[in-house]
Amino acid sequence: MKINQLLQNITATEFDLTVEGLCLNSHKIQPGDVFIALQGENSHGIDYIDQAIERGCIAVLIDSKETVCSVPTIRIDNLSKHLPSLAKTFYSSACDVEIIGVTGTNGKTSVAHFISQILNQLGEKSGLIGTLGIANNSQTSKQTTPDIITLYRALDEYHQKNIKVVALEVSSHALAQNRIAGLNITQAVLTNFTQDHLDYHLSLAQYKTEKLKLFQLDTLNSVILNSDDPSYAEFSHAAGENSQFNYSLNDFNDIKTTEHGFIAQLDGFVFEVPFLGEFNLMNILATYQALKARNFSSAQIIPLLDKLSPPMGRMHKINNHFAWVDYAHTPDAIEKAITTLQTHYPEHNIRVIFGCGGDRDQTKRALMGKIASKLASTIILTDDNPRSEDPLSIIHDILNGIDDSYEVDIIQDRILAIETGITTLKENECLLIAGKGHESEQYYQDKTIAMNDIDIANNA
């Protein structure tokens, strides 16, 4: 596409260039791309123009003062507001891909994975975008929902591969920043709504306002809602006249707990749920209703439920140890993770290793400490991506929620904390390693360390 075609509804240009792609991240530039230099959280894209040029960018769109460099630069006022138009103009086939948008505080990754897995087994080739990355695609992302340009570019690639439906995790940040603008989201799924991201949204009410946006899209034809969630009525009202499919734990005719999951009865079918935790029963119900809304029958869906595999780092059982790694990093999630082990292993005491992330919602730290100390027998507090904050200060914030009479071990070195937790685990104990799940790096102010909880625990 010629650059004047790309910009025809935005600004005039005399440059005659053929654009091969668009990119917001200088590290991801491919030859022939146009680099869009915007203000980020900690720096401005202008600072990375030389890097983008080295990687082959042919022009730069900027939202600030003119910049002299070896490729053409085009200044556009309010550039960030034009991102949806730029993405849709260049990657127009992205809008031909049907999207199932999954949102909620916890469970997004599992539900999106489950939906995609079953669609593929039912013969409907599907894509998957979320916290664990972009499946079967050359595009990469470390965000739950990628930036709008990466998202459109990935969907365009899916379209070229004849993938017509994609399960997409939709974060509150993505909704607030308009990253999903213009996409063909035909189905919206709510897992649950509890506290998170107050560092960004500042209040629970604003956090909810952003989540509600997904259910107000005019592209929707169905919504799937958790009727057990306290916020159900607000999400149901936001959905308006769209076809609504609700799910509740009461949908099961019978549930029996086993060491490895559950034996469940649903709509006349008996099947095994191969995962621990009541929350996973809810994730399976959300998946079930999402697929029913796509006109698949119970007889088609239910026989596939016991073939599901969990996403990495979600109640991940450690080899040869009575230990699990989970991504639980909110008060609600850590409560559910601990009670899950108590439900499936009632004769065991629970030990928990966790910390809280730096530069994130500080109000949840004491809450997580309070919950963990009420439910677990022993706790080891450790580092969990301190980022720019003092790691010990974060731990003290967690301790504010723990009664002074409760004995807590503090081992800031997360590798040592996990190794200690594993090697000192008693026969009557379960170990929950919470917070990072699948993550492979630990972020400090001055360094990034390669680190994966699953690998550390398996090798301890």
Side-chain angles (χ1 to χ4, degrees), residues 68-290:
V68 177
C69 61
S70 59
V71 300
T73 60
I74 302 170
R75 185 177 182 275
I76 299 173
D77 291 333
N78 299 314
L79 177 56
S80 61
K81 292 183 179 180
H82 293 290
L83 290 180
S85 175
L86 290 166
K88 196 168 186 177
T89 298
F90 194 85
Y91 300 110
S92 58
S93 64
C95 298
D96 295 329
V97 178
E98 188 179 353
I99 295 174
I100 302 169
V102 183
T103 198
T105 305
N106 302 306
K108 294 187 295 297
T109 300
S110 292
V111 172
H113 273 250
F114 294 165
I115 289 172
S116 180
Q117 285 178 39
I118 292 184
L119 282 174
N120 287 328
Q121 290 182 68
L122 289 168
E124 192 168 343
K125 196 175 177 183
S126 69
L128 178 64
I129 301 175
T131 305
L132 301 189
I134 306 174
N136 301 314
N137 201 287
S138 66
Q139 299 304 301
T140 60
S141 173
K142 291 186 176 181
Q143 297 171 298
T144 296
T145 312
D147 67 75
I148 190 170
I149 299 298
T150 301
L151 185 51
Y152 267 79
R153 195 165 185 163
L155 292 169
D156 181 78
E157 183 175 324
Y158 276 141
H159 184 266
Q160 292 174 30
K161 293 179 177 179
N162 201 34
I163 293 174
K164 298 177 180 178
V165 59
V166 170
L168 170 68
E169 292 182 53
V170 184
S171 68
S172 58
H173 292 73
L175 290 160
Q177 296 167 12
N178 213 27
R179 293 184 211 160
I180 60 169
L183 293 175
N184 183 30
I185 300 178
T186 60
Q187 196 171 47
V189 182
L190 175 71
T191 57
N192 49 59
F193 181 82
T194 60
Q195 179 180 330
D196 200 11
H197 304 306
L198 297 194
D199 56 300
Y200 182 83
H201 299 294
L202 303 182
S203 72
L204 201 61
Q206 186 57 41
Y207 176 41
K208 183 179 291 182
T209 295
E210 300 302 341
K211 290 287 191 187
L212 288 167
K213 288 179 180 178
L214 180 64
F215 300 86
Q216 298 166 329
L217 296 175
D218 57 14
T219 53
L220 294 177
N221 55 41
S222 65
V223 298
I224 290 80
L225 299 178
N226 177 357
S227 57
D228 290 346
D229 192 272
S231 297
Y232 162 74
E234 291 169 89
F235 283 90
S236 179
H237 178 73
E241 300 299 318
N242 287 301
S243 296
Q244 189 168 310
F245 295 76
N246 299 328
Y247 64 95
S248 162
L249 201 60
N250 293 327
D251 293 345
F252 288 106
N253 307 114
D254 188 42
I255 305 170
K256 292 179 181 174
T257 303
T258 70
E259 279 198 1
H260 305 293
F262 304 89
I263 301 297
Q265 184 175 348
L266 178 66
D267 288 351
F269 293 84
V270 177
F271 62 100
E272 184 176 3
V273 178
F275 312 113
L276 303 185
E278 188 176 281
F279 61 90
N280 265 321
L281 291 175
M282 295 300 286
N283 291 338
I284 280 176
L285 287 171
T287 301
Y288 177 57
Q289 290 297 336

Side-chain angles (χ1 to χ4, degrees), residues 105-106 192-198 204 207 326-339 352 354-356 361-373 375 398 432 434-435:
T105 305
N106 302 306
N192 49 59
F193 181 82
T194 60
Q195 179 180 330
D196 200 11
H197 304 306
L198 297 194
L204 201 61
Y207 176 41
D326 192 70
Y327 192 50
H329 60 280
T330 68
D332 179 64
I334 200 166
E335 179 176 4
K336 287 178 177 174
I338 297 171
T339 56
V352 182
F354 78 103
C356 287
D361 180 7
Q362 296 184 8
T363 65
K364 71 180 182 182
R365 296 172 183 172
L367 281 173
M368 290 178 68
K370 182 177 181 180
I371 290 167
S373 61
L375 295 175
I398 299 171
L432 173 66

